[in-house]
Every structure is written in structure tokens, then in C-alpha cells.
Amino acid sequence: MVPKIVAKGRSFKGAAAYLLHDKGHAESSERVEWVETRNLASQNPEVAWRIMAATALDQGRLKEEAGIVRTGRKSSQAALHMVLSWHPDEKEDLSRDEMRRAAIGALKAIGAESRQVMLVAHNDEEHAHLHILCNRVSAEDGRMLTSSKDRLKLSKWAQAYEMERGQIYCENRVLNNERREQGEYVAD
């Protein structure tokens, strides 16, 4: 399992256009295996990204209604795009339920399990992979999800995930996480 934070950005529309259609072909979507939403009122992906964008734009009002002071650092980068990629050997035996379970685990690892999310599985690579479009703005209170040490959190989660499934595909990650636990700075 390789979790990757692709980008944080402002455009749910742009991210959805990339995720829901074929590369370079805005009208076709042959590479999309399945789409699912979480914490959203609609399973329709075209409606879902619009709800996510509206929530992000409504951040100030949501904070005010929740009684949260509108202070702190401001960020317009509410769209978080992550990808979970499995080893090619796992592709045949990987179910939609398992991919969903992994996505929920990754979101939980970064504290985003209650955020609005769209999951998009693609079938255009030799390895199974799942895109996660997450709204960093909480629909409940307008707070922005912190991104502190997300890559490290995902690295530890991915190692535990592989161990749970009985096969470590990334030995280097295990070594790097051990070095980090000993206080060493490791960038990879």
C-alpha cells in the first residue's frame, strides 16, 4: 500500500473533472471503476463535489453558527486529494469493500473520518488504486482540517495496514518508520 497526498487546492470542480473522467477526455469516463461518497447527502458525484465546494465557501457562517471565533490562519485550500495504491500482485483479490475499508482507515489516520469525501476507483493502471477527494472544511463547524504530519501519519497507517493483511510490500517504509521512532529525521 502506498498512500500519497497528491495536492491541497481550491478547486473541487477541477479535482472532480480529473477524477471522474478519462485523462484528456472530459466527456468519457471509461477508467472510472466505481464512485462512492461519505458524509454527503448525495451519492451522485456531480452533486457531491458541488456540495463540498459550497461547504468550503460557507466556512465563515458554519463557524459563526457553531459559536467558533473566526480567527486563526486562513486557508483557501479546502480540497485534499489523496491516492491509495496497492501492489500489482494484490489487484485480482482486492474488493471494493477492502478498498473502502482502507480509505476509511487512511482518513481516520489523518483525523478526517467525519469530513465530506468522494472515493473514486480507477482501472487504468496495472495496480489497483483509489482516489480520495476530501473536504478539509468541516460541514459541522467550519473548522479546517489540520495537515500537520499527515505524510508521517499515513506512513505509519500503511505499515500497519500491510502487516494486518499479512504482506509487507514496502520494507523501506518499515525501516524509515523505525528510524523516525528513534528520533532520526527521515524525509522519505
Side-chain angles (χ1 to χ4, degrees):
M1 160 67 65
V2 177
K4 180 180 178 184
I5 296 176
V6 177
K8 285 182 265 178
R10 294 187 302 196
S11 179
F12 287 98
K13 180 180 181 179
Y18 170 76
L19 297 176
L20 298 172
H21 303 286
D22 293 338
K23 295 176 185 175
H25 303 286
E27 297 303 315
S28 65
S29 58
E30 292 174 12
R31 73 180 182 149
V32 177
E33 188 72 27
W34 55 267
V35 179
E36 191 174 299
T37 67
R38 298 188 53 79
N39 304 317
L40 285 157
S42 176
Q43 284 295 320
N44 180 325
E46 294 297 333
V47 172
W49 74 257
R50 286 175 170 86
I51 294 170
M52 294 168 82
T55 300
L57 290 171
D58 212 18
Q59 182 179 19
R61 185 190 60 79
L62 291 167
K63 280 185 172 182
E64 187 177 304
E65 286 182 359
I68 297 171
V69 179
R70 294 170 64 171
T71 60
R73 294 184 180 177
K74 306 290 186 245
S75 176
S76 61
Q77 297 185 325
L80 173 63
H81 177 193
M82 300 188 301
V83 181
L84 303 180
S85 299
W86 283 263
H87 191 275
D89 292 349
E90 297 178 281
K91 188 172 186 175
E92 294 303 316
D93 297 324
L94 196 61
S95 69
R96 179 175 177 166
D97 287 340
E98 181 58 30
M99 294 176 88
R100 180 188 311 110
R101 187 180 80 81
I104 292 167
L107 289 163
K108 190 172 188 175
I110 63 169
E113 63 270 23
S114 65
R115 303 302 166 127
Q116 297 170 330
V117 173
M118 184 165 52
L119 306 175
V120 183
H122 285 170
N123 58 19
D124 61 338
E125 300 289 341
E126 70 178 53
H127 62 276
H129 63 285
L130 178 67
H131 294 265
I132 302 171
L133 180 59
C134 176
N135 191 350
R136 293 180 63 217
V137 174
S138 169
E140 295 174 10
D141 61 15
R143 290 184 184 177
M144 182 72 75
L145 179 69
T146 181
S147 59
S148 178
K149 300 184 181 181
D150 280 352
R151 285 177 173 80
L152 296 177
K153 293 173 189 174
L154 286 172
S155 178
K156 288 180 182 180
W157 168 81
Q159 179 180 336
Y161 176 81
E162 284 189 346
M163 290 173 65
E164 177 188 317
R165 289 183 40 95
Q167 174 73 44
I168 298 292
Y169 288 97
C170 187
E171 295 289 342
N172 195 39
R173 175 178 39 235
V174 175
L175 297 173
N176 286 343
N177 284 337
E178 287 174 2
R179 290 171 55 199
R180 289 181 186 113
E181 286 178 16
Q182 296 171 2
E184 190 176 336
Y185 173 77
V186 181
D188 284 339

